[in-house]
Structure formats: C-alpha cells, structure tokens
Amino acid sequence: MATAAVTGSASGIGAAIKRRLEANGDSVIGVDLREADVEADLSTSEGRKSAVSGVLSACGGKLDRLVACAGLGAHLDDLALIASVNYFGAIATLDGLKDALSGREGAAAVAVCSNSARFGPFDDHPFVQACLDGDEALARELVAQENGFIAYGGSKHALSRAVRRRAAEWGAAGVRLNGIAPGSTQTAMVEALKDHPVFNKGHESLIMPLGRNAEPEEIANVVSFMLSPEASYVHGAIWYADGGNEAATLPDRF
Ligand code: NAD
C-alpha cells in the first residue's frame, strides 16, 4: 500500500484528493489547521516544521506521494498571510518531505497552483522575486502594499516557477514533481469570492468555455493521474484543468 500526504485535506480540493487517493487504495496522511491527522499551521515556520515532522513520524520517513494543496483565496484582507501559506507553506512542505520521497519507486508530488498565475504582471514582479529568493520577510512586506489579486496570483505564479525550477534536482532524486493549475472550482474559497464586494465582479466575468465551475473531484481525478505510474514521464509540468479558461483568455501565448 502506498503512503501519501495531502495538505489542505480538511476542505475542498484537498479533501477530494484525499478521498480519491484513499479510493485508489493509498493510506493518506491529511495535514490541515484542524480535522486532520497532522494539525499544523503552514503560515509559520514553527507550524511548517511541525507539519513536516508530523508527516515523517506518521509515514515512518517513507512517503510515496505528496500533494501540497493548502491555500488561501484572494478575498482575504491579510495579504501577507496569503503569501505565507500559498508560497512559503507549500515550498516548505515540498522541500521538507523530498527526502522521504527520494528513492521510492514511482515517487511523485503535485503542487496545487492556479490558472490565475498567468493573468498578471508577474514575470518580473518584486513580490514574486522575493518569494523565489526565499525571502519571506521581504515578500510579506512587498505584498502588503498590493491587492488580493497580486497576492494570490503572484504567490501561485511563484509556486509554479518554483516547481519548474526543481525539475533537475527532483528528477535526479527520482521524484516526479508537477503542478496543477485548476480554474474556478466549487469550494468554500470560490463561495467566499462570490460574496466579496470586489472579487465577485472578477469571478462573474471569468471566461469559462465549459460554462461551469469544476467540481473538486474533477481536479482530484487529474491529480490522481499525475501521481500514478501512467504519468511516469510527466515531470516539471504545470497542467491546466480550467475548463478552457486559459486557452480562451490567452489563446496565442505559450
Ligand atoms: P478550501 O478553502 O476549501 O480549502 C483550503 C484548505 O487549506 C482548508 O482546509 C484550510 O484549512 C487549509 N489551510 C488554509 N490555511 C492553512 C494553514 N495556514 N495551514 C494549514 N492548512 C491551511 O479551498 P480550495 O478551493 O479547496 O483550495 C485548495 C487549493 O486549491 C488552494 O491552494 C487554492 O489556492 C487552490 N485553487 C483553488 C481554486 C478554486 O477555484 N477553488 C482554483 C485554483 C486553485
């Protein structure tokens, strides 16, 4: 039986991924603020250390699959918190558990990014650069002067690039690492966006060629495939599962 760890397992996409991997026969260690096997706060360095050590002790130091899914939406007022959870929490999870995956046959990890990573002036943004430099204090300071769109999309943009930057090192360690970029998915996060006085308009105007939000299970199905032996040559990739939103919005950009 394979052992997997999933952060953000108490709700939405993370909960659907946990259910799907369990249905596949995996033993899944859930990590979340509450209602999880490992209860830890990924917004702080102490919480991240406790999450990693909790998973390592639950899996005996040997992990087959990992999903870094915990995240916060653009609607929150605390923009620095978005950066700390979405980028630094995810990176600490991935890097902290890489050795437990190394050398395991078929080992694979997925970071839950977002299609919003492509929709902004993120390429040279100082906040994104501070994330990629691992400077959490500077990233938090810079993002606090921005808005929720920059905090959310920028943190996911940085996370996507961090996944790609790790392809050589993780490949050499025998661990496939990929990202998934979901589009609008029917979870508590999207409900909160719909209720927000500013982000509700952005959400209403989303171009969705399939004409609907994803169900969390539809994202979990793709993650399950990305972690499976059938995806054994998929590495360093960011896969869109967004109902055609990115293709319809940026049809000629690769
Ligand atoms: P959700 O709110 O249903 O679930 C998020 C989970 O993350 C919750 O269980 C929450 O407790 C956990 N979490 C938040 N802060 C945490 C912290 N400090 N420490 C530990 N756990 C923490 O939202 P969701 O829509 O399922 O989002 C899951 C992931 O998918 C996020 O990374 C989100 O950015 C990403 N995503 C969502 C959508 C969407 O439309 N719903 C689209 C693209 C990407």
Side-chain angles (χ1 to χ4, degrees), residues 20-187:
R20 173 62 210 249
L21 295 182
E22 284 170 345
N24 293 348
D26 291 358
S27 166
V28 182
I29 303 158
V31 181
D32 209 305
L33 287 169
R34 57 194 77 81
E35 296 171 50
D37 305 294
V38 176
E39 296 189 350
D41 182 353
L42 291 169
S43 73
T44 68
S45 55
E46 285 73 34
R48 293 168 199 150
K49 279 187 203 133
S50 150
V52 167
S53 67
V55 171
L56 289 176
S57 81
C59 71
K62 290 175 183 158
L63 204 57
D64 301 294
R65 319 189 206 290
L66 171 64
V67 183
C69 182
L72 295 171
H75 57 286
L76 294 184
D77 292 334
D78 189 342
L79 304 180
L81 185 63
I82 299 174
S84 284
V85 176
N86 291 10
Y87 183 80
F88 293 96
I91 291 297
T93 303
L94 294 170
D95 289 351
L97 292 170
K98 174 171 158 273
D99 286 352
L101 292 154
S102 299
R104 306 280 294 165
E105 196 180 335
V110 170
V112 179
C113 305
S114 170
N115 66 339
S116 63
R118 300 257 289 160
F119 299 125
F122 298 132
D123 285 354
D124 303 313
H125 200 289
F127 161 58
V128 169
Q129 199 52 56
C131 288
L132 289 167
D133 290 344
D135 190 337
E136 187 170 4
L138 179 60
R140 287 175 60 93
E141 186 187 317
L142 292 172
V143 82
Q145 302 154 31
E146 299 285 351
N147 57 50
F149 173 72
I150 297 288
Y152 184 78
S155 65
K156 295 296 186 175
H157 179 99
L159 181 59
S160 307
R161 281 167 64 177
V163 164
R164 293 168 59 80
R165 285 182 176 195
R166 280 164 173 70
E169 189 192 333
W170 283 58
V175 186
R176 291 187 304 105
L177 172 63
N178 294 290
I180 185 165
S184 186
T185 305
Q186 200 53 50
T187 67

